[in-house]
CSV table of all heavy atoms in Angstrom, one decimal:
chain,number,residue,atom,x,y,z
A,206,VAL,N,-51.1,25.0,-16.7
A,206,VAL,CA,-50.4,23.8,-16.1
A,206,VAL,C,-49.6,23.1,-17.1
A,206,VAL,O,-48.4,22.8,-17.0
A,206,VAL,CB,-51.3,22.9,-15.3
A,206,VAL,CG1,-50.6,21.6,-14.8
A,206,VAL,CG2,-52.0,23.7,-14.2
A,207,LYS,N,-50.3,22.9,-18.3
A,207,LYS,CA,-49.7,22.0,-19.3
A,207,LYS,C,-48.5,22.7,-20.0
A,207,LYS,O,-47.4,22.1,-20.2
A,207,LYS,CB,-50.6,21.6,-20.4
A,207,LYS,CG,-51.5,20.5,-19.9
A,207,LYS,CD,-52.4,19.9,-20.9
A,207,LYS,CE,-53.3,18.9,-20.3
A,207,LYS,NZ,-54.4,18.4,-21.2
A,208,ARG,N,-48.6,24.0,-20.2
A,208,ARG,CA,-47.6,24.7,-20.8
A,208,ARG,C,-46.4,24.8,-20.0
A,208,ARG,O,-45.2,24.6,-20.4
A,208,ARG,CB,-48.1,26.2,-21.1
A,208,ARG,CG,-47.0,26.9,-22.0
A,208,ARG,CD,-47.5,28.3,-22.2
A,208,ARG,NE,-48.8,28.4,-22.9
A,208,ARG,CZ,-49.5,29.5,-23.0
A,208,ARG,NH1,-49.2,30.6,-22.4
A,208,ARG,NH2,-50.7,29.4,-23.7
A,209,ILE,N,-46.6,25.0,-18.7
A,209,ILE,CA,-45.5,25.1,-17.7
A,209,ILE,C,-44.8,23.8,-17.6
A,209,ILE,O,-43.5,23.7,-17.6
A,209,ILE,CB,-46.0,25.6,-16.3
A,209,ILE,CG1,-46.4,27.1,-16.4
A,209,ILE,CG2,-44.9,25.4,-15.3
A,209,ILE,CD1,-47.3,27.5,-15.3
A,210,ARG,N,-45.6,22.8,-17.6
A,210,ARG,CA,-45.0,21.4,-17.4
A,210,ARG,C,-44.2,21.0,-18.7
A,210,ARG,O,-43.1,20.5,-18.6
A,210,ARG,CB,-46.0,20.3,-17.1
A,210,ARG,CG,-46.5,20.5,-15.7
A,210,ARG,CD,-47.3,19.3,-15.3
A,210,ARG,NE,-47.6,19.4,-13.9
A,210,ARG,CZ,-48.5,18.7,-13.2
A,210,ARG,NH1,-49.3,18.0,-13.9
A,210,ARG,NH2,-48.6,18.8,-11.9
A,211,THR,N,-44.8,21.4,-19.8
A,211,THR,CA,-44.0,21.1,-21.1
A,211,THR,C,-42.7,21.8,-21.1
A,211,THR,O,-41.7,21.2,-21.4
A,211,THR,CB,-44.9,21.7,-22.3
A,211,THR,OG1,-46.1,21.0,-22.3
A,211,THR,CG2,-44.2,21.4,-23.6
A,212,LEU,N,-42.7,23.1,-20.6
A,212,LEU,CA,-41.4,23.8,-20.7
A,212,LEU,C,-40.4,23.1,-19.7
A,212,LEU,O,-39.2,23.0,-20.0
A,212,LEU,CB,-41.6,25.3,-20.3
A,212,LEU,CG,-42.3,26.1,-21.4
A,212,LEU,CD1,-42.6,27.5,-20.9
A,212,LEU,CD2,-41.5,26.2,-22.6
A,213,ALA,N,-40.9,22.7,-18.5
A,213,ALA,CA,-40.0,22.1,-17.6
A,213,ALA,C,-39.4,20.7,-18.1
A,213,ALA,O,-38.2,20.5,-18.0
A,213,ALA,CB,-40.8,21.8,-16.3
A,214,ILE,N,-40.3,20.0,-18.7
A,214,ILE,CA,-39.8,18.7,-19.4
A,214,ILE,C,-38.8,19.0,-20.5
A,214,ILE,O,-37.8,18.3,-20.6
A,214,ILE,CB,-41.1,17.9,-20.0
A,214,ILE,CG1,-41.9,17.5,-18.8
A,214,ILE,CG2,-40.5,16.8,-20.8
A,214,ILE,CD1,-43.3,16.9,-19.3
A,215,LEU,N,-39.0,20.0,-21.3
A,215,LEU,CA,-38.0,20.4,-22.3
A,215,LEU,C,-36.7,20.8,-21.7
A,215,LEU,O,-35.6,20.4,-22.2
A,215,LEU,CB,-38.6,21.5,-23.2
A,215,LEU,CG,-39.7,21.1,-24.1
A,215,LEU,CD1,-40.2,22.4,-24.9
A,215,LEU,CD2,-39.2,20.1,-25.2
A,216,PHE,N,-36.7,21.4,-20.6
A,216,PHE,CA,-35.5,21.9,-19.9
A,216,PHE,C,-34.9,20.7,-19.3
A,216,PHE,O,-33.6,20.5,-19.5
A,216,PHE,CB,-35.9,22.9,-18.8
A,216,PHE,CG,-34.7,23.3,-17.9
A,216,PHE,CD1,-33.8,24.3,-18.4
A,216,PHE,CD2,-34.4,22.7,-16.7
A,216,PHE,CE1,-32.7,24.7,-17.6
A,216,PHE,CE2,-33.4,23.1,-15.9
A,216,PHE,CZ,-32.5,24.1,-16.4
A,217,GLY,N,-35.6,19.8,-18.8
A,217,GLY,CA,-35.0,18.6,-18.2
A,217,GLY,C,-34.3,17.8,-19.3
A,217,GLY,O,-33.2,17.2,-19.2
A,218,GLY,N,-35.0,17.6,-20.5
A,218,GLY,CA,-34.4,17.0,-21.7
A,218,GLY,C,-33.1,17.6,-22.1
A,218,GLY,O,-32.2,16.9,-22.4
A,219,ALA,N,-33.1,18.9,-22.2
A,219,ALA,CA,-31.9,19.6,-22.7
A,219,ALA,C,-30.8,19.4,-21.7
A,219,ALA,O,-29.6,19.1,-22.1
A,219,ALA,CB,-32.2,21.1,-22.8
A,220,CYS,N,-31.0,19.4,-20.4
A,220,CYS,CA,-29.9,19.1,-19.4
A,220,CYS,C,-29.4,17.8,-19.5
A,220,CYS,O,-28.3,17.6,-19.5
A,220,CYS,CB,-30.4,19.5,-17.9
A,220,CYS,SG,-30.8,21.2,-17.6
A,221,ALA,N,-30.4,16.8,-19.6
A,221,ALA,CA,-30.0,15.4,-19.7
A,221,ALA,C,-29.1,15.2,-20.9
A,221,ALA,O,-28.1,14.5,-20.9
A,221,ALA,CB,-31.2,14.5,-19.7
A,222,GLY,N,-29.5,15.8,-22.0
A,222,GLY,CA,-28.8,15.7,-23.3
A,222,GLY,C,-27.4,16.2,-23.1
A,222,GLY,O,-26.4,15.6,-23.6
A,223,MET,N,-27.2,17.3,-22.5
A,223,MET,CA,-25.9,17.8,-22.3
A,223,MET,C,-25.0,16.9,-21.4
A,223,MET,O,-23.8,16.8,-21.6
A,223,MET,CB,-26.0,19.3,-21.7
A,223,MET,CG,-26.3,20.3,-22.8
A,223,MET,SD,-26.1,22.0,-22.1
A,223,MET,CE,-27.4,22.2,-21.0
A,224,GLY,N,-25.7,16.4,-20.4
A,224,GLY,CA,-25.0,15.5,-19.4
A,224,GLY,C,-24.5,14.3,-20.3
A,224,GLY,O,-23.4,13.8,-20.0
A,225,GLY,N,-25.4,13.8,-21.2
A,225,GLY,CA,-24.9,12.6,-21.9
A,225,GLY,C,-23.8,13.0,-22.8
A,225,GLY,O,-22.7,12.3,-23.0
A,226,ALA,N,-23.8,14.2,-23.5
A,226,ALA,CA,-22.7,14.6,-24.3
A,226,ALA,C,-21.5,14.8,-23.6
A,226,ALA,O,-20.4,14.7,-24.1
A,226,ALA,CB,-23.1,15.9,-25.1
A,227,TYR,N,-21.6,15.2,-22.3
A,227,TYR,CA,-20.3,15.4,-21.6
A,227,TYR,C,-19.5,14.0,-21.5
A,227,TYR,O,-18.3,14.0,-21.5
A,227,TYR,CB,-20.7,15.9,-20.1
A,227,TYR,CG,-19.4,16.3,-19.4
A,227,TYR,CD1,-18.9,17.7,-19.6
A,227,TYR,CD2,-18.6,15.5,-18.6
A,227,TYR,CE1,-17.9,18.1,-19.0
A,227,TYR,CE2,-17.5,16.0,-18.0
A,227,TYR,CZ,-17.2,17.3,-18.1
A,227,TYR,OH,-15.9,17.8,-17.5
A,228,ILE,N,-20.3,12.9,-21.4
A,228,ILE,CA,-19.6,11.7,-21.4
A,228,ILE,C,-19.1,11.3,-22.8
A,228,ILE,O,-17.9,10.9,-22.9
A,228,ILE,CB,-20.7,10.6,-21.1
A,228,ILE,CG1,-21.1,10.8,-19.7
A,228,ILE,CG2,-20.0,9.1,-21.1
A,228,ILE,CD1,-22.2,9.8,-19.1
A,229,SER,N,-19.8,11.6,-23.9
A,229,SER,CA,-19.3,11.1,-25.3
A,229,SER,C,-18.3,12.2,-25.8
A,229,SER,O,-17.5,11.8,-26.6
A,229,SER,CB,-20.5,10.9,-26.1
A,229,SER,OG,-21.0,12.2,-26.5
A,230,LEU,N,-18.3,13.3,-25.4
A,230,LEU,CA,-17.4,14.4,-26.0
A,230,LEU,C,-16.2,14.6,-25.0
A,230,LEU,O,-15.1,15.0,-25.6
A,230,LEU,CB,-18.1,15.6,-26.2
A,230,LEU,CG,-19.1,15.6,-27.4
A,230,LEU,CD1,-19.8,17.0,-27.5
A,230,LEU,CD2,-18.5,15.2,-28.7
A,231,ILE,N,-16.4,14.5,-23.8
A,231,ILE,CA,-15.3,14.9,-23.0
A,231,ILE,C,-14.7,13.7,-22.1
A,231,ILE,O,-13.5,13.5,-22.0
A,231,ILE,CB,-15.6,16.1,-21.9
A,231,ILE,CG1,-15.9,17.3,-22.9
A,231,ILE,CG2,-14.5,16.4,-21.0
A,231,ILE,CD1,-16.3,18.5,-22.1
A,232,ARG,N,-15.6,13.1,-21.4
A,232,ARG,CA,-15.1,12.1,-20.4
A,232,ARG,C,-14.5,10.8,-21.1
A,232,ARG,O,-13.4,10.4,-20.7
A,232,ARG,CB,-16.1,11.7,-19.4
A,232,ARG,CG,-15.8,12.0,-18.0
A,232,ARG,CD,-16.8,11.8,-17.1
A,232,ARG,NE,-16.5,10.7,-16.2
A,232,ARG,CZ,-17.5,10.1,-15.5
A,232,ARG,NH1,-18.7,10.3,-15.6
A,232,ARG,NH2,-17.1,9.1,-14.8
A,233,VAL,N,-15.2,10.3,-22.0
A,233,VAL,CA,-14.6,9.1,-22.7
A,233,VAL,C,-13.9,9.4,-23.9
A,233,VAL,O,-12.9,8.7,-24.2
A,233,VAL,CB,-15.7,8.1,-22.9
A,233,VAL,CG1,-15.1,6.9,-23.6
A,233,VAL,CG2,-16.4,7.7,-21.7
Side-chain angles (χ1 to χ4, degrees):
Chain A
V206 174
K207 281 188 183 168
R208 186 182 301 165
I209 290 160
R210 286 191 170 164
T211 299
L212 291 173
I214 293 168
L215 287 175
F216 178 77
C220 285
M223 284 193 289
Y227 194 83
I228 298 178
S229 66
L230 288 178
I231 294 179
R232 241 174 109 198
V233 178

